[in-house]
């Protein structure tokens, strides 16, 4: 059978030889390797080998170095002449340790991670098949380098290097996802991205404002979704069907995707449906986490209902639907168009952390839920390759996104149900170019325009009479603009010294109209207009004293321009307070220094350590404020202290990130990740408090086994304690989220869980997956979270391919 398949590959190779191709085989089995990523060291040229191990290769003839990468194999770095000498037939040897990987997030152009001075982590889509994350937040958390907070089951707010929410940037297929209403509190928009439509995920640690603009202070999360490939000869139809079941929340997930591949056209359609019931917590752990009571209605009145099983987190289930359509058209050998459509919509998502507020059976809220969270994106791009005076390659992308979210809350014993709905229309245009200067030195540059139109409404419904009337809106109706130019120069002095320097100028403009709230809050202004110019830069050195050692110091800056959420929001940020608009805001800036060291010992051990120190200046923080001379006003019938976002503080975050990959044998690998960070922020009385978004020490240790059909992972995830003495002041005000220490004070206990996951390739078309998460059935709540993590969770999945 192996001889027949090799003979078939040779026949296909012969048929396709009219255009230069390369064939890649497994060095041990001599079988073809599919999915090998081939890219040049000088520009963004790339190809992927097909199921016969064959890829088009003529475009790489002018490249000095050509890289071949596939997870589980040693990378190859060869010249065109070296490949020509072996007859365009290459063999890749198995290796559990990936010494370098292709990354896009650092410059928006594909390059080797060894040519990037900053720290970038790549989450391979092949690991999705064994880890089967519940949502994209869990997928990021499985890396052991991103801490995930969850206010409710339908959530996932990443924390990276002491920053979170609107101080992190999200990009999907190169399009900025952050909007003008991304808030400083925990943010859960990442769940809108379907984990089973992701082809590649990258996390860029530290400021990324040079390439991505406002918000990219703590890091950038860049997602590339599935894209169809062109066929080289005949048309091809392929696809996947996947289902997953989990016991902790009776989850049922169904995913399907199908591709149609032709010589000049390619299409891909994707569908995912997620159903999550109430989540069950673990058996052993703090009793404070138990869900003893929930709200119910009897004879038209709110009552507290004792839960029959306090481990079941009632009012936590939700559903979600994701659709995606991709189209690619090859106009010429050098010009390609691509179109992408994304649609994500949840059902109502109960906000669990608010539903458990109160003392014992005295609940604060009878209802609190997010309405359907909707995200729609249409993106059209053009990619052109051709040497000119100004560029060798260019890519232009125009996109429209629509976001809709709502908040619905009713206090216990009250009849008024408040509904506040926000809609954002976002337009963006990106033009990026790359120009080879000499040898492997090149310049990337571009321009970006982003526009957000924000509409916000509020109503209140008497649930007894069904009569609705106007209520205060969360935001003013607003327009937010951003214009930017940027560039990065990559200097290749020698194999030992490389330099990367970047610069960006960004202009932002914000106009807000507060007339939708005039009758509820008499503000001293009805309209505001703010504009800012921001300059950011980065400087990184890559020093290789020997091929197995890389030392990379980096200096970088980031910024966040005030958005609508900062300037114009009206809402209750925490019990007994209300946040009001403040038009006198300026951008906040981050100044970052870091050192990244990577060392490997053959194909056996790989070590990496990063140390960083970040200062946030002119920080946008909540502080006491006055409205028309009043420091306390009535909000939804409750006396509330007045707060506002102000440029009133500075903050520092420093820490280390460490990683180890140790190949015990050709089939067994130990992986360990550890993250420690400490953040402090200035308070209004000039004292300091631990930073709210600086996660406790956390990480993972994983033992993996891999052969041709069977794959096994045994993983320990862990997190350190946040004692009362290290508890941020904001979190001390949320005692219902935390366990009690020996002095009856809130704290977040340390925890450790063990997971077992396995996958088995039953035949070329069927993959079986199973796992046990939280084997010890530990009851734990990740720091700052509202929902308690799942208890012992059995997962079962099957994937069929054709």
């Amino acid at each position: 059978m192996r001889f027949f398949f090799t003979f078939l590959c040779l026949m296909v190779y012969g048929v396709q030889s009219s255009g230069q191709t390369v064939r890649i085989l497994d060095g041990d089995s001599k079988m073809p390797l599919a999915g090998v990523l081939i890219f040049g060291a000088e520009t963004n040229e790339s190809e992927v080998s097909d199921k016969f191990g064959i890829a088009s290769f003529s475009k790489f003839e002018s490249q000095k170095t050509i890289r071949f990468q596939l997870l589980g194999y040693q990378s190859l770095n060869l010249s065109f002449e070296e490949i020509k000498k072996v007859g365009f037939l290459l063999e890749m040897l198995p290796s559990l340790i990936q010494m370098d990987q292709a990354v896009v997030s650092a410059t928006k152009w594909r390059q080797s991670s060894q040519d990037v001075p900053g720290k970038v982590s790549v989450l391979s889509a092949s690991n999705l098949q064994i880890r089967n994350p519940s949502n994209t937040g869990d997928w990021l958390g499985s890396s052991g380098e991103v801490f995930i907070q969850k206010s409710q089951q339908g959530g996932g707010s990443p924390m990276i290097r002491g920053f979170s929410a609107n101080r992190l940037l999200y990009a999907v297929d190169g399009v900025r996802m952050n909007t003008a209403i991304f808030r400083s509190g925990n943010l859960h928009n990442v769940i809108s991205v379907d984990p089973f439509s992701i082809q590649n995920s990258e996390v860029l640690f530290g400021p990324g404002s040079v390439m991505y603009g406002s918000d990219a202070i703590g890091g950038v999360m860049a997602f590339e979704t599935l894209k169809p490939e062109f066929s080289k000869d005949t048309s091809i139809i392929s696809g996947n069907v996947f289902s997953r079941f989990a016991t902790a929340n009776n989850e049922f997930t169904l995913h399907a995707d199908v591709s149609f591949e032709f010589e000049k056209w390619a299409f891909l359609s994707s569908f995912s449906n997620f159903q999550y019931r109430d989540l069950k917590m673990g058996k052993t752990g703090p009793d404070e986490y138990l869900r003893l009571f929930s709200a119910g209605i009897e004879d038209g009145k709110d009552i507290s209902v004792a839960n029959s099983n306090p481990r079941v987190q009632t009012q936590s289930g939700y559903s979600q639907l994701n659709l995606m359509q991709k189209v690619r058209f090859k106009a010429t050998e050098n010009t390609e168009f691509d179109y992408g459509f994304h649609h994500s919509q949840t059902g109502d998502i109960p906000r669990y952390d608010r539903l458990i507020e109160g003392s014992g059976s005295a609940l604060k809220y009878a209802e609190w839920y997010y309405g359907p969270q909707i995200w729609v994106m249409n993106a059209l791009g053009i990619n052109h390759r051709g040497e000119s005076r100004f560029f060798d390659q260019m890519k232009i992308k125009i996109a429209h996104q629509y976001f809709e979210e709502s908040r619905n809350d009713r206090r216990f014993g009250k009849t008024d149900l408040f509904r506040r709905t926000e809609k954002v229309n976002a337009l963006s245009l990106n033009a990026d170019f790359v120009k080879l200067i000499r040898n492997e030195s090149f310049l990337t540059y571009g321009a970006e325009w982003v526009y957000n139109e924000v509409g916000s409404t509020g109503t209140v419904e008497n649930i007894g009479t069904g009569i609705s009337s106007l209520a205060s809106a969360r935001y003013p109706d607003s327009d937010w603009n951003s214009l930017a130019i940027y560039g990065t120069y990559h200097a290749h002095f020698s194999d030992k010294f490389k330099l990367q320097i970047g610069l960006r100028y960004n202009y932002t403009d914000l106009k807000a109209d507060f007339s939708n709230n005039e009758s509820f809050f008499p503000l001293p202004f009805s309209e505001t207009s703010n504009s800012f110019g921001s300059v950011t830069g980065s400087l990184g050195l890559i020093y290789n004293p020997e091929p197995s050692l890389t030392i990379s110091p980096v200096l970088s800056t980031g910024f966040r321009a005030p958005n609508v959420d900062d300037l114009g929001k009206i809402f209750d940020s925490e019990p007994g307070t209300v946040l009001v608009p403040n038009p006198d805001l300026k951008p906040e800036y981050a100044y970052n220094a870091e050192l990244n060291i990577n060392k490997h010992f053959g194909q056996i051990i790989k070590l990496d350590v990063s140390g960083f120190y970040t200062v946030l200046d002119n920080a946008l923080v909540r502080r006491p404020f006055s409205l028309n001379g009043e420091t306390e006003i009535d909000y939804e019938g409750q006396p509330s202290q007045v707060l506002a976002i102000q440029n009133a503080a500075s903050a520092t975050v420093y820490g280390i990130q460490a990683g180890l990959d140790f190949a015990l044998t050709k089939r067994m690998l130990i992986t360990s990740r550890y993250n420690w960070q400490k953040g402090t922020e200035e308070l209004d009385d000039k004292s300091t408090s631990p930073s709210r978004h600086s996660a406790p020490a956390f990480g993972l240790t994983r033992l993996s086994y891999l052969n041709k059909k069977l794959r096994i992972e045994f993983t320990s995830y862990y997190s350190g304690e946040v004692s009362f003495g290290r508890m941020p002041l904001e979190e001390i005000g949320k005692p219902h989220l935390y366990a009690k220490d020996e002095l009856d004070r809130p704290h977040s206990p340390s925890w450790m869980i063990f997971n077992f996951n396995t996958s088995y390739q039953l035949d070329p078309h069927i993959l079986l997956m199973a796992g046990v998460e939280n084997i010890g059935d530990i009851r734990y709540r990740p720091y700052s979270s509202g929902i308690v993590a799942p208890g012992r969770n059995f997962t079962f999945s099957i994937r069929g391919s054709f």
Side-chain angles (χ1 to χ4, degrees):
M1 182 66 185
R2 180 178 298 176
F3 171 79
F4 174 76
F5 197 86
T6 304
F7 176 74
L8 180 62
C9 290
L10 289 170
M11 293 296 292
V12 173
Y13 180 72
V15 170
Q16 296 184 344
S17 61
S18 56
Q20 185 60 64
T21 59
V22 66
R23 185 157 51 98
I24 308 128
L25 305 178
D26 182 296
D28 290 343
S29 69
K30 310 305 178 185
M31 296 295 285
L33 289 177
V36 177
L37 177 63
I38 308 166
F39 64 101
E42 297 170 4
T43 60
N44 194 47
E45 305 286 7
S46 65
E47 286 286 343
V48 177
S49 63
D50 62 18
K51 62 183 178 181
F52 301 108
I54 297 171
S56 177
F57 201 63
S58 55
K59 66 174 67 173
F60 298 103
E61 188 170 357
S62 62
Q63 296 284 320
K64 181 178 178 181
T65 304
I66 305 157
R67 306 179 191 276
F68 298 78
Q69 293 183 358
L70 180 64
L71 186 67
Y73 289 84
Q74 295 180 29
S75 299
L76 297 177
N77 299 320
L78 303 168
S79 69
F80 188 88
E81 288 301 317
E82 288 174 319
I83 298 168
K84 185 177 180 180
K85 284 182 181 179
V86 296
F88 298 97
L89 177 62
L90 301 176
E91 295 182 359
M92 296 181 71
L93 296 174
S95 175
L96 294 177
I97 296 180
Q98 201 82 6
M99 296 302 172
D100 66 330
Q101 294 177 293
V103 296
V104 177
S105 60
T107 63
K108 298 186 180 179
W109 296 95
R110 182 165 281 111
Q111 60 185 135
S112 170
S113 58
Q114 293 184 341
D115 295 331
V116 177
K119 178 177 173 59
V120 180
S121 290
V122 179
L123 284 75
S124 171
S126 63
N127 291 325
L128 269 167
Q129 298 183 1
I130 187 170
R131 294 174 198 162
N132 280 319
S134 179
N135 61 34
T136 302
D138 291 340
W139 170 230
L140 291 170
S142 72
S143 68
E145 296 179 300
V146 179
F147 190 90
I148 301 298
Q149 181 275 353
K150 290 188 177 184
S151 298
Q152 60 278 331
Q153 185 178 186
S157 184
M159 295 183 183
I160 298 175
R161 287 191 174 183
F163 296 99
S164 184
N166 59 12
R167 290 182 178 131
L168 302 176
L169 190 128
Y170 306 81
V172 179
D173 292 336
V175 178
R176 173 192 177 95
M177 195 181 190
N178 292 45
T179 72
I181 64 170
F182 268 33
R183 58 190 179 273
S184 59
N186 298 306
L187 192 71
H188 307 285
N189 293 70
V190 73
I191 71 168
S192 293
V193 182
D194 177 6
F196 302 110
S197 71
I198 292 175
Q199 182 167 291
N200 191 51
S201 308
E202 296 179 18
V203 181
L204 170 65
F205 294 88
S209 287
V210 168
M211 299 308 300
Y212 294 93
S214 179
D215 303 3
I217 288 180
V220 176
M221 290 156 285
F223 303 97
E224 288 185 84
T225 57
L226 298 172
K227 89 177 168 180
E229 299 296 335
F230 298 111
S231 67
K232 296 178 178 64
D233 190 15
T234 60
S235 59
I236 299 174
I237 300 176
S238 61
N240 301 279
V241 178
F242 167 87
S243 66
R244 163 186 153 108
F245 176 74
T247 59
N249 56 358
N250 290 319
E251 174 202 343
F252 179 74
T253 293
L254 180 64
H255 167 84
D257 61 76
V258 60
S259 297
F260 300 88
E261 302 172 11
F262 305 95
E263 187 176 357
K264 289 186 175 292
W265 288 89
F267 305 85
L268 185 145
S269 303
S270 173
F271 159 89
S272 294
N273 184 264
F274 306 85
Q275 299 288 333
Y276 309 95
R277 308 302 178 191
D278 289 341
L279 183 63
K280 187 176 182 179
M281 66 183 75
K283 184 178 181 180
T284 305
D287 290 341
E288 292 91 345
Y289 296 166
L290 295 172
R291 178 76 150 130
L292 300 176
F293 296 91
S294 58
I297 296 181
E298 185 177 276
D299 297 329
K301 295 183 178 180
D302 293 326
I303 60 170
S304 293
V305 179
N307 292 330
S308 58
N309 186 348
R311 289 173 55 199
V312 175
Q313 300 174 86
T314 54
Q315 299 172 295
S316 64
Y318 77 105
S319 62
Q320 182 169 325
L321 172 69
N322 281 78
L323 303 172
M324 185 180 76
Q325 178 64 52
K326 293 287 190 71
V327 180
R328 294 177 69 193
F329 171 60
K330 185 187 293 184
T332 69
E333 283 301 314
N334 294 327
T335 304
E336 177 186 315
F337 294 85
D338 63 83
Y339 165 75
F341 167 78
H342 297 263
H343 176 91
S344 174
Q345 181 168 340
T346 69
D348 291 342
I349 302 178
R351 183 164 173 181
Y352 188 80
D353 64 333
R354 291 297 183 100
L355 292 172
I356 61 174
E357 278 191 50
S359 177
S361 61
L363 300 173
K364 183 175 180 179
Y365 290 97
E367 299 178 73
W368 212 122
Y369 59 92
Y370 291 107
Q373 179 174 295
I374 300 173
W375 170 60
V376 179
M377 181 169 79
N378 289 274
L380 178 65
I382 178 173
N383 298 272
H384 177 73
R385 181 180 72 251
E387 294 184 8
S388 74
R389 183 177 179 181
F390 299 105
F391 64 86
D392 297 318
Q393 289 186 74
M394 75 167 186
K395 52 185 178 182
I396 298 174
K397 180 161 287 189
I398 184 170
H400 170 263
Q401 297 179 85
Y402 172 76
F403 299 82
E404 181 177 328
E405 56 187 52
S406 64
R407 293 159 178 80
N408 308 268
D409 67 274
R410 183 174 64 85
R411 293 179 182 269
F412 192 88
K414 304 293 184 179
T415 58
D416 287 341
L417 174 60
F418 290 89
R419 304 182 189 274
R420 293 181 172 89
T421 302
E422 292 77 50
K423 299 177 181 180
V424 179
N425 281 285
L427 292 172
S428 61
L429 175 64
N430 289 82
D432 290 281
F433 307 87
V434 60
K435 178 63 180 177
L436 180 65
I437 306 302
R438 59 181 177 82
N439 297 327
E440 294 185 24
S441 298
F442 61 95
L443 173 70
T444 65
Y445 62 97
E448 178 187 65
W449 169 66
V450 180
Y451 168 71
N452 282 194
E453 178 189 60
V454 178
S456 183
T457 60
T459 62
V460 57
E461 176 190 351
N462 186 305
I463 63 170
T465 64
I467 297 175
S468 295
S469 57
L470 291 177
S472 62
R474 180 178 172 90
Y475 298 118
D477 294 330
S478 310
D479 296 301
W480 186 86
N481 272 286
S482 172
L483 290 166
I485 54 173
Y486 49 88
T488 302
Y489 181 63
H490 308 258
H492 187 104
F493 299 119
S494 68
D495 289 339
K496 287 190 175 183
F497 288 98
K498 302 170 190 175
L499 181 72
Q500 179 175 296
I501 183 169
L503 190 67
R504 180 187 184 103
Y505 174 77
N506 208 116
Y507 171 82
T508 54
D509 175 77
L510 172 59
K511 294 181 174 64
D513 180 358
F514 293 88
S515 59
N516 57 353
N517 273 324
E518 279 183 343
S519 59
F520 304 101
F521 298 99
L523 300 173
F525 46 84
S526 59
E527 294 182 350
T528 62
S529 179
N530 300 69
S531 58
F532 317 98
S534 303
V535 177
T536 52
S538 63
L539 176 65
L541 174 70
I542 302 172
Y543 173 51
N544 297 101
E546 58 182 72
S548 64
L549 175 63
T550 302
I551 302 172
S552 301
V554 177
L555 298 173
S556 57
T557 63
F559 80 100
R560 189 172 75 82
N563 64 14
V564 179
D565 186 86
D566 299 310
L567 182 145
K569 180 167 58 179
I570 300 176
F571 92 119
D572 58 329
S573 59
E574 59 188 48
T577 66
V578 60
L579 201 67
V580 300
N582 177 16
D584 301 319
L585 297 178
K586 299 177 182 180
E588 59 182 8
Y589 287 89
Y591 303 93
N592 176 71
E594 63 184 270
L595 179 66
N596 303 293
I597 301 175
N598 297 274
K599 171 68 177 176
H600 65 87
F601 301 88
Q603 295 292 318
I604 305 299
I605 296 176
K606 178 184 176 183
L607 295 168
D608 64 87
V609 178
S610 298
F612 63 91
Y613 190 96
T614 306
V615 176
L616 186 65
D617 188 39
N618 228 16
L620 293 163
V621 293
R622 298 171 186 170
R623 289 290 183 265
F625 197 64
S626 63
L627 184 63
N628 296 323
E630 300 292 333
T631 59
E632 185 175 281
I633 63 174
D634 182 85
Y635 182 75
E636 294 185 358
Q638 300 291 319
S640 301
Q641 180 190 8
V642 177
L643 304 176
I645 300 294
Q646 302 172 55
N647 293 106
S650 63
T652 59
V653 183
Y654 56 92
I656 59 170
Q657 296 174 280
L660 166 69
D661 295 283
F662 180 22
L664 296 173
T665 69
K666 288 186 176 182
R667 301 294 182 188
M668 297 186 70
L669 174 71
I670 289 180
T671 301
S672 190
R673 302 288 183 264
Y674 180 77
N675 309 268
W676 177 87
Q677 50 277 311
K678 183 177 181 180
T680 58
E681 61 182 50
E682 187 181 11
L683 301 178
D684 55 334
D685 63 358
K686 303 304 179 181
S687 63
T688 60
S689 168
S691 173
R692 175 188 178 192
H693 293 305
S694 186
F698 71 97
L700 65 78
T701 299
R702 176 178 289 134
L703 175 64
S704 305
Y705 172 82
L706 175 67
N707 68 19
K708 294 179 182 178
K709 291 187 175 183
L710 178 65
R711 185 173 177 183
I712 297 172
E713 286 188 352
F714 184 72
T715 308
S716 170
Y717 293 91
Y718 37 84
S719 174
E721 179 194 13
V722 179
S723 65
F724 177 79
R726 292 178 47 237
M727 184 78 69
L729 193 61
E730 285 186 72
E731 297 302 299
I732 291 176
K734 306 171 187 175
H736 61 287
L737 300 182
Y738 293 99
K740 299 291 195 305
D741 64 13
E742 64 277 2
L743 298 178
D744 205 36
R745 301 173 303 182
H747 78 125
S748 180
S750 61
W751 53 266
M752 177 183 290
I753 63 167
F754 296 92
N755 292 358
F756 175 83
N757 299 91
T758 184
S759 65
Y760 182 74
Q761 193 75 51
L762 189 63
D763 64 33
H765 304 290
I766 299 177
L767 178 68
L768 303 177
M769 294 148 281
V772 186
E773 299 170 352
N774 192 358
I775 296 173
D777 206 16
I778 302 300
R779 185 186 308 146
Y780 70 100
R781 175 181 273 149
Y783 164 72
S784 190
S785 293
I787 196 82
V788 182
R792 186 180 296 122
N793 187 28
F794 294 92
T795 63
F796 308 92
S797 306
I798 183 170
R799 179 186 294 271
S801 304
F802 62 91

